[in-house]
Amino acid sequence: METVRQGQGALHRVEHYEEKFAKGMNMEYLRNVLLAYIETQDHEGLIPVFESVLEFSPQEKGRLDAARAKHRSSGWKLF
């Protein structure tokens, strides 16, 4: 049952993003933020931008924070 709920939640999220893009969410802005994330060392400063633009839930923010803390302690970097 939990898997069904997760699938429904993911479908709702995709539909929500499609609606936002149709209403003019600026893909150019998102693309530029992603490029800045990859090209610079300002990962910590850009993560909140991704969280906001992509509307992360509190649970997703928690997952991201936990992953960042785990990887930071091991010296791992995405780029």
Side-chain angles (χ1 to χ4, degrees):
M1 188 63 154
E2 181 65 27
T3 304
V4 171
R5 257 186 262 138
Q6 289 174 343
Q8 290 171 338
L11 178 59
H12 175 71
R13 182 173 294 166
V14 167
E15 291 170 345
H16 175 74
Y17 286 127
E18 285 177 348
E19 183 178 311
K20 282 185 78 166
F21 290 133
K23 290 182 178 178
M25 181 181 172
N26 193 338
M27 276 300 274
E28 185 74 22
Y29 177 73
L30 183 56
R31 183 175 39 234
N32 288 335
V33 172
L34 177 61
L35 286 171
Y37 180 86
I38 293 168
E39 293 173 344
T40 71
Q41 297 299 312
D42 187 23
H43 296 169
E44 293 299 315
L46 291 170
I47 292 294
V49 176
F50 283 113
E51 292 175 345
S52 175
V53 170
L54 298 174
E55 299 178 351
F56 283 14
S57 69
Q59 293 83 7
E60 291 166 329
K61 288 179 184 180
R63 288 173 49 197
L64 182 60
D65 289 342
R68 287 166 50 210
K70 176 183 174 184
H71 295 304
R72 199 177 307 126
S73 68
S74 70
W76 179 83
K77 287 188 176 186
L78 182 57
F79 292 98

